[in-house]
Amino acid sequence: MTPMTTQPYVTDESGASTHSYVDWPAILAGTIFALAISFVLTSFGAGLGLSLTSPYRGEGVSASWLAIAAGIWMAWVMVTGFGAGGYLAGRMRRPIGDAVGEEVEVRDGSHGLIVWATGTVLGAFLAVSGAGGLISAGSNAAGTAADTVTEAVSSDYFASLMLRGSAGINPDTQQEIASLITRAAVEGEMVERDRDYLAQIVAANTAMSEPDARARIDEVATEIDTAMTSATDAIEDARIAGIIFGFISAATLLLGAVAAFFAAVAGGHHRNAKLGFSTVMPTR
């Protein structure tokens, strides 16, 4: 096996053809390459995310840990995707004849940053249009929690529960009870005068005595409080997960910019030194 020789870093671009400082073909090639790699890794990560969740209560990881796991995977996706795209852009960039020394590194790295910026804008567009998996999942967490509250505190269900045992439920009576339950859910508790009034309504529409009706009202009110507590906990978990996911997403995007810059500088180095891919992936 012949030893591989490494040529020195050539930073003089004198004598090269003159054209725009921004080499858009190289940038677009790097962006497409970065998005393709990111799509593959994100699809693989979606499978891992499904393996961490469970439709059964009490199983699977919490929303906060799921956001952290998604953030770690997203960091790997950003570094790998934009690193590869930045390297390709730096490697394919056509040199300009008026740059020497550190200016060459700056121009190569700038092309990596533009690859990152272009990919980020396209990714944001896809997320807004519904094609972005991770970002749309994080932004929909609050909406899912709100739906949980609506399902947890169903005024019609608890109204029918209070009137259970009645020969025939009057829709107007059920609607009146439901409105009082909704008010209690909004205020966080059911006041005493509403409890007394509901006990009278239940006693008048069922075969129960007023003390028994009041006991049923208190029992149902306890169930409402329990449902509200569970729903509030779900909202808090979703809020914390959203905050964690938001910070991690911003941090990983910046990490992708750094990876794209230095990968493009490395690509420009290999281009000027006329090094092959064996430098990046050594072969025996």
Side-chain angles (χ1 to χ4, degrees):
M1 180 178 68
T2 60
M4 181 181 62
T5 60
T6 302
Q7 300 183 19
Y9 188 4
V10 180
T11 59
D12 188 357
E13 295 186 354
S14 60
S17 60
T18 58
H19 51 79
S20 174
Y21 288 158
V22 181
D23 194 342
W24 280 108
I27 290 172
L28 292 178
T31 301
I32 294 173
F33 190 46
L35 292 179
I37 292 179
S38 298
F39 176 76
V40 173
L41 294 178
T42 301
S43 300
F44 183 66
L48 293 178
L50 290 175
S51 68
L52 296 177
T53 59
S54 174
Y56 303 105
R57 184 181 298 272
E59 298 185 10
V61 299
S62 64
S64 299
W65 281 109
L66 186 60
I68 293 174
I72 294 174
W73 184 258
M74 188 175 179
W76 170 252
V77 171
M78 290 294 174
V79 171
T80 304
F82 284 118
Y87 178 87
L88 184 64
R91 186 68 185 254
M92 297 180 65
R93 184 183 75 86
R94 291 169 292 182
I96 304 295
D98 63 346
V100 294
E102 295 182 355
E103 181 65 19
V104 177
E105 295 185 14
V106 172
R107 292 181 182 181
D108 290 334
S110 298
H111 278 68
L113 289 178
I114 298 176
V115 167
W116 167 81
T118 306
T120 301
V121 171
L122 290 176
F125 174 77
L126 294 176
V128 171
S129 63
L134 290 176
I135 298 178
S136 62
S139 62
N140 289 336
T144 303
D147 293 339
T148 302
V149 175
T150 303
E151 295 175 359
V153 186
S154 175
S155 58
D156 291 335
Y157 167 74
F158 287 112
S160 63
L161 185 61
M162 290 182 181
L163 294 173
R164 186 166 296 176
S166 175
I169 299 178
N170 188 329
D172 294 334
T173 301
Q174 184 176 2
Q175 183 61 37
E176 183 179 9
I177 295 176
S179 64
L180 293 175
I181 293 175
T182 302
R183 178 181 177 182
V186 171
E187 294 181 352
E189 64 177 350
M190 184 178 294
V191 296
E192 193 67 23
R193 64 175 182 274
D194 289 343
R195 290 174 184 256
D196 294 338
Y197 182 62
L198 286 173
Q200 295 174 8
I201 295 177
V202 172
N205 289 272
T206 61
M208 302 175 64
S209 63
E210 190 165 328
D212 291 339
R214 176 55 189 263
R216 174 179 289 185
I217 296 301
D218 292 339
E219 180 182 352
V220 174
T222 300
E223 293 184 20
I224 294 175
D225 291 339
T226 302
M228 281 292 297
T229 301
S230 300
T232 302
D233 292 342
I235 291 179
E236 182 65 13
D237 290 342
R239 185 186 69 85
I240 294 175
I243 293 174
I244 294 174
F245 190 87
F247 278 110
I248 292 178
S249 297
T252 52
L253 283 173
L254 294 177
L255 192 61
V258 174
F261 180 88
F262 286 104
V265 171
H269 175 193
H270 295 165
R271 175 201 65 223
N272 292 339
K274 297 180 175 58
L275 298 178
F277 279 102
S278 59
T279 304
V280 183
M281 297 178 293
T283 57
R284 295 182 178 180

